[in-house]
Amino acid sequence: MEYHDYEYALIRAVPRVERGELVNLGVLVYCRWREELAVRTLLPEAKLLALDPAVDLAAVARALRGIEGVCAGGAAGGSARGDSPGRRFRWLTAPRSAVVQPGPVHTGLTADPAGELERLFAQLVA
C-alpha cells in the first residue's frame, strides 16, 4: 500500500466570538498527490442554538453550501471555479472573522483520501 501526504482542516462555527466557544461543522481534505479536494459537513442546529439562541442558522447553512460549492469547483465554485484544488483549499482555509471559519491546517499520511475524510468526519464532527 502506498501512502501519500494530505492536509485537512475543520470547518467550525463560532457564534459568539467573545466567548470563544465553537462547534465543528465539517472537515476539508486535500490530497496533492491525487489533486483532490473534498468536504463533508453537518449543521448541528441544537448545538449552535445552545451556544447562541440568536444564531442565524440560515446564514450558517448558506456558508456551508458556499464552502461545498468552492470545494466542488465548476460552476458551483463561483470565482474560484477555475482554480486548482490546492488553490481552492488554501482559499477555504484562510483565516476569517466570521461565524463560519476554518480551523488550523493539519497534515497526515493516507492511501485513501476519501476514507480519511470519512474517518475524520466521524471522529471530529459527527
Side-chain angles (χ1 to χ4, degrees):
M1 194 175 300
E2 194 172 349
Y3 289 87
H4 297 276
D5 62 310
Y6 72 94
E7 298 173 83
Y8 75 93
L10 290 170
I11 300 165
R12 56 195 186 185
V14 186
R16 294 182 56 194
V17 177
E18 70 277 9
R19 292 181 61 143
E21 299 168 328
L22 61 92
V23 175
N24 292 336
L25 303 177
V27 63
L28 289 160
V29 172
Y30 169 60
C31 183
R32 184 174 52 95
W33 162 64
R34 294 176 101 168
E35 277 299 301
E36 288 181 6
L37 175 61
V39 65
R40 181 142 183 228
T41 64
L42 175 71
L43 182 58
E45 293 179 5
K47 287 182 180 180
L48 288 169
L49 291 169
L51 293 182
D52 182 2
V55 67
D56 186 345
L57 292 173
V60 173
R62 279 191 307 276
L64 289 178
R65 285 193 307 272
I67 290 168
E68 292 165 353
V70 169
C71 187
S79 61
R81 69 181 159 266
D83 290 344
S84 69
R87 192 166 183 156
R88 292 194 318 268
F89 179 75
R90 299 284 171 249
W91 186 83
L92 289 167
T93 57
R96 292 179 170 70
S97 296
V99 171
V100 177
Q101 54 186 252
V105 175
H106 303 282
T107 61
L109 293 173
T110 188
D112 178 17
E116 203 62 38
L117 174 66
E118 294 305 316
R119 184 189 72 77
L120 289 167
F121 183 82
Q123 182 179 17
L124 303 172
V125 179

